[in-house]
Amino acid sequence: MDFAARRFAERGYERQERYRRQLFDVELDALARLREAGQIRDDLIASVSHEFRTPLTAIRGSAATLAARGDQIPPDARAALLDGIAEHADRLGRLLEDMLLAASARSTPDSGAVADVTAALAGFRLGQVRPAVVSEVDEGLAAYVDAVSFDQVVRALADHVRADARKDRTVTLRARREGSEVLVEVLYGSGRSEEELRRLFQPFGSREAAETGAPATLALYVVRRLVEAHGGRTAAGRDGDRLRVRLALRALSPAAGLEPAGTEAARA
């Protein structure tokens, strides 16, 4: 009888310890999420104070000038002021869109979501007046990343290159499988310093926008947030005289097959 009572008590104690460990793990996960959310909040608040000031000042100044003496300003100058207001308003819209996208990236995405990397990279476009793009993308590449999120990664990556790349240098887009990862690389000519290169994936890693009013986006910060949320990695470095932005994604096993998983991701 004593033995049975001890066994019963031991099992109860083991259950309590197991529940404590599970609760502790849940609390650790919640704490990690809170820290991540706090870091995102700090990044985006800093971005607002850093980047929204320039276009808002330009819009306010142009609008005040038009309101005070618009009838005295020559038509060409008046049209230039209006164009400037529209341009800076567009810039604010892009910044806000990027901020919302970065903030919405979750660290617990659907682990079964799969994207057709080859097909998505076919949508990498810079526009007619931008540098020519040479594509070296392997066929049949797929990775464990939500398809919609990866489309947003491709869009943000193109936004960054469109704004940052030298217009007289060819841009190279590469993608291949290497071990358990799908590597995506973009190589382009850039005048960024080594210091800027080290903080390229931080919000507004260049001081150029604050100093000159040049257009800026959170594009690479969005790329980093979305890629890391799906278990991937981002890096930047030099490849000869060109800058290289690299994304490493978890590769889909060739035996898994792309079509069923891709269809499931598209429905999600």
Side-chain angles (χ1 to χ4, degrees):
M1 184 67 67
D2 291 342
F3 175 78
R6 285 199 301 273
R7 288 293 298 164
F8 182 79
E10 288 173 356
R11 288 173 181 171
Y13 176 76
E14 289 173 356
R15 281 196 299 272
Q16 291 178 1
E17 285 299 305
R18 185 167 62 252
Y19 295 151
R20 288 195 190 97
R21 287 195 297 270
Q22 291 174 352
L23 181 60
F24 181 68
D25 290 341
V26 169
E27 290 175 343
L28 283 180
D29 185 60
L31 181 60
R33 291 172 186 272
L34 286 173
R35 287 176 176 169
E36 180 184 28
Q39 183 60 56
I40 295 170
R41 180 201 61 199
D42 292 344
D43 288 343
L44 296 184
I45 288 174
S47 300
V48 169
S49 63
H50 184 267
E51 283 298 327
F52 276 46
R53 186 176 295 115
T54 299
L56 282 173
T57 299
I59 291 172
R60 187 182 299 113
S62 296
T65 300
L66 289 169
R69 50 191 183 87
D71 55 345
Q72 305 171 28
I73 300 174
D76 290 348
R78 189 163 58 245
L81 287 172
L82 290 171
D83 288 343
I85 290 175
E87 180 181 344
H88 285 292
D90 288 343
R91 176 181 173 187
L92 283 175
R94 289 197 305 271
L95 293 175
L96 181 58
E97 181 182 349
D98 286 343
M99 288 176 63
L100 294 175
L101 187 54
S104 67
R106 299 179 301 160
S107 59
T108 56
D110 180 3
S111 59
V114 173
D116 185 335
V117 174
T118 300
L121 290 176
F124 184 89
R125 296 285 187 273
L126 299 182
Q128 294 182 348
V129 298
R130 304 301 176 180
V133 178
V134 175
S135 180
E136 300 175 0
V137 177
D138 290 350
E139 295 292 331
L141 296 174
Y144 286 107
V145 54
D146 175 69
V148 173
S149 295
F150 190 66
D151 284 341
Q152 292 169 331
V153 166
V154 173
R155 190 272 301 167
L157 195 59
D159 285 348
H160 166 76
V161 175
R162 188 180 299 112
D164 198 55
R166 288 178 48 177
K167 306 302 182 289
D168 60 341
R169 300 290 302 277
T170 298
V171 173
T172 302
L173 175 66
R174 295 175 180 166
R176 66 187 184 279
R177 180 172 180 136
E178 194 168 286
S180 61
E181 295 180 321
V182 171
L183 300 183
V184 178
E185 295 179 333
V186 180
L187 298 92
Y188 62 91
S190 174
R192 286 185 179 269
S193 67
E194 290 300 322
E195 179 185 357
E196 289 177 325
L197 185 60
R198 285 192 293 271
R199 46 193 177 84
L200 193 60
F201 288 96
Q202 300 301 317
F204 305 110
S206 171
R207 295 194 180 95
E208 179 185 5
E211 294 173 352
T212 68
T217 69
L218 283 160
L220 282 193
Y221 180 63
V222 169
V223 169
R224 193 194 95 198
R225 288 281 304 133
L226 289 172
V227 168
E228 290 180 352
H230 290 82
R233 299 176 291 110
T234 59
R238 297 286 181 189
D239 189 293
D241 60 350
R242 294 197 293 177
L243 189 150
R244 180 186 64 241
V245 174
R246 172 180 289 180
L247 318 179
L249 306 165
R250 295 183 300 129
L252 175 67
S253 170
L258 175 61
E259 186 61 31
T263 304
E264 182 68 22
R267 287 199 299 267

